[in-house]
Amino acid sequence: MNNLLSIEQLTGDEIRNLLALGHRLKAERGRHECLPLKGQTWALIFSKSSTRTRVSFEVGISELGGRPMFLSVHDIQLGRGEPIKDTARVLGRMIHGAAIRTYGQQEVEEFASFSGIPTINALTDEEHPCQILADLLTIEEIYGPGSWKDMKIAFVGDGDNNMSRSWMWAAKRLGFTLAIGAPTNYLPLEDFRRHLDCENVIFTTDPVEAVKGASVINTDVWLSMGQESEGLSKEKHFYPYQVNRELLEHAASGHSVFHCLPAYRGKEITEDVLEHFAPVIFREAENRVHAQKAVLATLADARRG
């Protein structure tokens, strides 16, 4: 594992190893005997605004002994049209790794190819691998190690966004049952489904069917960054998929609700449901630090090797 570009590119063993390391690093927080990023500088190259991703990476890099360097595309030559491959070849000679939050998956792939340094997908329109690792870590904290393998997990809302796609690849790699509940026009296209080729991923337009018997119910904003202009024309399709108390009556007993945040109360999730599950949702946010520290440490070790 030399980069983290997508959940698709990971193996099941790599995911399990990252989760185990994430748990250990969380337990050892503040007293790490090994600092795998000591003396290193890691760049955070962001084309999209962020709260959790930026803070969790800056904290994680610092706690592993490294120095984070935040680079907005508005502050470097990428913002003036410099090709990604040129920026990558420059930074690859100066820094030790990079986490990139941008629009196109190809941008992260190209940076990794030309820079030659460990590269992390900190969110693209295609996938959000760091969030899924944090979510799986949270599931194990709540229900026990490897508990996801015997449960049904549901994702309701936009079934063809970066979160749902990363969940689908996680289900493919780890073998748990995943139900995607979304309007017809917001389910993955047949080409993607054939590429996924995973019988344990279920697609439905019925939100009740998606949530029925699920131990973990996920949702996300209906308008991802860059889709704001679609506004009501898109949102009107999703209100039947709102995570509310009525929908959760069909979930398994002892269920949890996850949200990657930011949340828009009254849209994809109701105020009362979000506040009821706030301890879970904000633990999920905190675990971004620990999951990403596991990724950073693993990539640093691989580079030294």
Side-chain angles (χ1 to χ4, degrees), residues 38-103:
K38 185 176 181 180
Q40 296 188 10
T41 299
W42 282 62
L44 307 179
I45 306 171
F46 282 33
S47 300
K48 292 185 173 185
S49 59
S50 168
T51 300
R52 282 150 293 277
T53 300
R54 177 177 177 178
V55 173
S56 58
F57 267 112
E58 290 202 13
V59 169
I61 292 167
S62 298
E63 290 186 357
L64 293 178
R67 175 178 179 267
M69 176 187 293
F70 181 77
L71 300 173
S72 164
V73 293
H74 304 295
D75 300 326
I76 59 178
Q77 296 301 328
L78 278 175
R80 298 180 61 213
E82 181 176 53
I84 291 171
K85 61 183 180 181
D86 289 356
T87 298
R89 285 184 284 201
V90 169
L91 294 182
R93 295 166 180 262
M94 298 181 179
I95 60 175
H96 300 88
I100 302 177
R101 182 178 174 92
T102 188
Y103 293 91

Side-chain angles (χ1 to χ4, degrees), residues 22 37 40 45 104 128 157 170 177 189 202 227 231 295 303:
L37 270 58
Q40 296 188 10
I45 306 171
H128 197 356
T177 299
L189 298 176
I202 302 162
Q227 297 180 342
V295 173
R303 185 168 175 81

Side-chain angles (χ1 to χ4, degrees), residues 66-301:
R67 175 178 179 267
M69 176 187 293
F70 181 77
L71 300 173
S72 164
V73 293
H74 304 295
D75 300 326
I76 59 178
Q77 296 301 328
L78 278 175
R80 298 180 61 213
E82 181 176 53
I84 291 171
K85 61 183 180 181
D86 289 356
T87 298
R89 285 184 284 201
V90 169
L91 294 182
R93 295 166 180 262
M94 298 181 179
I95 60 175
H96 300 88
I100 302 177
R101 182 178 174 92
T102 188
Y103 293 91
Q105 178 73 18
Q106 180 57 35
E107 296 174 35
V108 178
E109 304 268 356
E110 187 175 355
F111 184 94
S113 176
F114 281 92
S115 69
I117 57 176
T119 303
I120 300 172
N121 176 354
L123 179 144
T124 64
D125 290 344
E126 185 68 26
E127 276 211 46
H128 197 356
C130 293
Q131 182 66 57
I132 297 303
L133 292 173
D135 290 356
L136 292 168
L137 198 70
T138 307
I139 290 172
E140 290 194 328
E141 284 186 338
I142 297 170
Y143 298 101
S147 51
W148 30 261
K149 64 186 177 183
D150 297 318
M151 65 172 54
K152 177 183 178 182
I153 297 173
F155 185 95
V156 291
D158 188 343
D160 196 28
N161 70 5
N162 50 13
M163 282 295 298
S164 58
R165 280 191 288 270
S166 287
W167 268 115
M168 284 184 266
W169 285 113
K172 168 86 171 182
R173 300 295 178 241
L174 298 174
F176 58 80
T177 299
L178 175 70
I180 303 290
T184 301
N185 292 338
Y186 296 95
L187 287 169
L189 298 176
E190 285 300 325
D191 285 349
F192 178 86
R193 297 193 204 187
R194 283 193 293 269
H195 177 53
L196 180 70
D197 188 25
C198 184
E199 293 181 356
N200 47 291
V201 176
I202 302 162
F203 301 100
T204 178
T205 57
D206 183 352
V208 171
E209 181 184 350
V211 167
K212 188 175 182 179
S215 297
V216 175
I217 296 89
N218 285 274
T219 191
D220 191 9
V221 296
W222 295 336
L223 295 173
S224 298
M225 273 184 262
Q227 297 180 342
E228 291 81 3
S229 62
E230 298 181 38
L232 293 176
S233 64
K234 180 178 180 180
E235 289 182 343
K236 66 182 181 182
H237 300 285
F238 288 101
Y239 279 101
Y241 301 84
Q242 182 186 72
V243 177
N244 52 41
R245 290 196 178 274
E246 292 73 24
L247 183 61
L248 294 177
E249 288 177 358
H250 304 278
S253 61
H255 62 267
S256 298
V257 172
F258 281 34
H259 195 306
C260 62
L261 301 175
Y264 292 90
R265 295 159 170 83
K267 292 189 177 181
E268 74 274 5
I269 190 169
T270 57
E271 171 80 19
D272 60 331
V273 168
L274 189 146
E275 290 301 327
H276 180 76
F277 289 98
V280 172
I281 291 170
F282 290 98
R283 181 196 292 198
E284 180 189 0
E286 176 201 344
N287 280 338
R288 289 289 300 279
V289 173
H290 312 299
Q292 288 162 193
K293 284 170 73 173
V295 173
L296 291 161
T298 299
L299 295 181
D301 286 346

